[in-house]
Amino acid sequence: KTIAIAEKRLPHCTFIVDDITKLTKLPANNKFSHVISYGVIHYLSEKGVADFFAALSRVTKKGTRIVICRVPNKNYYNSYQEFRRRRNLNRKLVVKDQLQWTWISEDFIRRHVEKNFEFMPILPLLQLEFPLKAFFDFVLIRK
């Protein structure tokens, strides 16, 4: 349903639905120069995250820039609840024990990408109110 809505709003774009741990539906002769992953990889298992980086190394060419945004670390839950409290967000409270996320560290990312990518940690804009300790964002550049 989401893809159908996106296709109506952006008819000049091509949408591909694929397993991000495999990326088998991308064309072999891809011309991608940039990839963005926003709020996705923490839904994967550790093996899934490692497979995602392996798939990226297969489908990208040298120099491709990959931006990975909104990667929650172990401080995410408490920081996010505080952020919601301060902002008076009325959405249903997420119960901590129900989270199925993989808490990803910078060291974990480095171990799985440095063979194929240059790793550069970045921070969100400082004017954002969201607690910076809850996330780290990074850029990968294909070696």
Side-chain angles (χ1 to χ4, degrees):
K1 186 175 180 177
T2 302
I3 297 299
I5 293 168
E7 288 172 336
K8 285 180 184 174
R9 290 183 181 173
L10 302 164
H12 60 285
C13 294
T14 301
F15 295 89
I16 299 170
V17 178
D18 200 356
D19 178 340
I20 67 168
T21 64
K22 297 180 178 123
L23 298 177
T24 57
K25 294 183 182 178
L26 294 176
N29 63 342
N30 72 72
K31 305 284 187 208
F32 302 114
S33 59
H34 294 81
V35 175
I36 298 174
S37 170
Y38 188 94
V40 173
I41 68 172
H42 56 279
Y43 291 109
L44 303 173
S45 65
E46 286 191 8
K47 181 184 181 319
V49 174
D51 290 347
F52 171 58
F53 290 127
L56 280 177
S57 69
R58 282 194 325 275
V59 301
T60 55
K61 61 185 178 183
K62 183 178 179 172
T64 297
R65 295 183 187 279
I66 301 161
V67 179
I68 311 285
C69 297
R70 298 300 176 252
V71 180
N73 67 22
K74 65 183 177 178
N75 298 309
Y76 174 79
Y77 179 82
N78 292 334
S79 297
Y80 183 57
Q81 298 310 323
E82 175 60 20
F83 167 77
R84 292 179 64 195
R85 188 191 62 71
R86 282 188 289 133
R87 294 288 300 269
N88 256 347
L89 297 179
N90 293 325
R91 291 188 352 214
K92 182 180 173 189
L93 190 66
V94 176
V95 178
K96 189 173 188 177
D97 295 338
Q98 292 176 344
L99 293 176
Q100 299 295 315
W101 294 350
T102 300
W103 304 117
I104 301 167
S105 70
E106 190 174 316
D107 290 336
F108 175 85
I109 300 298
R110 285 186 185 278
R111 282 195 314 272
H112 288 89
V113 305
E114 287 192 328
K115 176 180 160 193
N116 298 308
F117 300 97
E118 178 184 346
F119 172 87
M120 297 185 309
I122 58 173
L123 290 174
L125 297 174
L126 294 177
Q127 55 266 46
L128 293 178
E129 285 187 32
F130 201 87
L132 295 179
K133 71 179 182 176
F135 287 122
F136 72 97
D137 297 343
F138 57 95
V139 173
L140 304 176
I141 301 176
R142 181 77 166 99
K143 290 182 180 177

